[in-house]
Amino acid sequence: MLLAVGDARTSARNHLSGTVSRVVTGPISAEVTLALPAGRSVTAGITRDSLDRLALAKGSPASALFKASSVILVALD
């Protein structure tokens, strides 16, 4: 789940805040990448309707909220 900063309060334990660094749109869905502190990033897949409703664009502040069971980790050498 993505939130535009200031949208809502949440008690989610897995909450990462950053800035939208990339948006890739398709006809039905979109991929939104958030740049996080220390050079890290997280990418979320959302619907186009959600992208439009949240008004997310490159440079926008946003937060990613997620369940631990929804995480896929990739180790890069």
Side-chain angles (χ1 to χ4, degrees), residues 22-43:
R22 182 174 169 226
V23 178
V24 178
T25 58
I28 298 170
S29 61
E31 282 186 4
V32 179
T33 300
L34 300 181
L36 304 173
R40 306 279 192 233
S41 65
V42 62
T43 301

Side-chain angles (χ1 to χ4, degrees), residues 44-70:
I46 62 174
T47 65
R48 284 289 303 269
D49 288 341
S50 293
L51 180 69
D52 295 341
R53 190 173 61 250
L54 293 169
L56 294 173
K58 191 171 180 178
S60 301
S63 294
L65 291 82
F66 52 92
K67 293 189 270 182
S69 60
S70 299

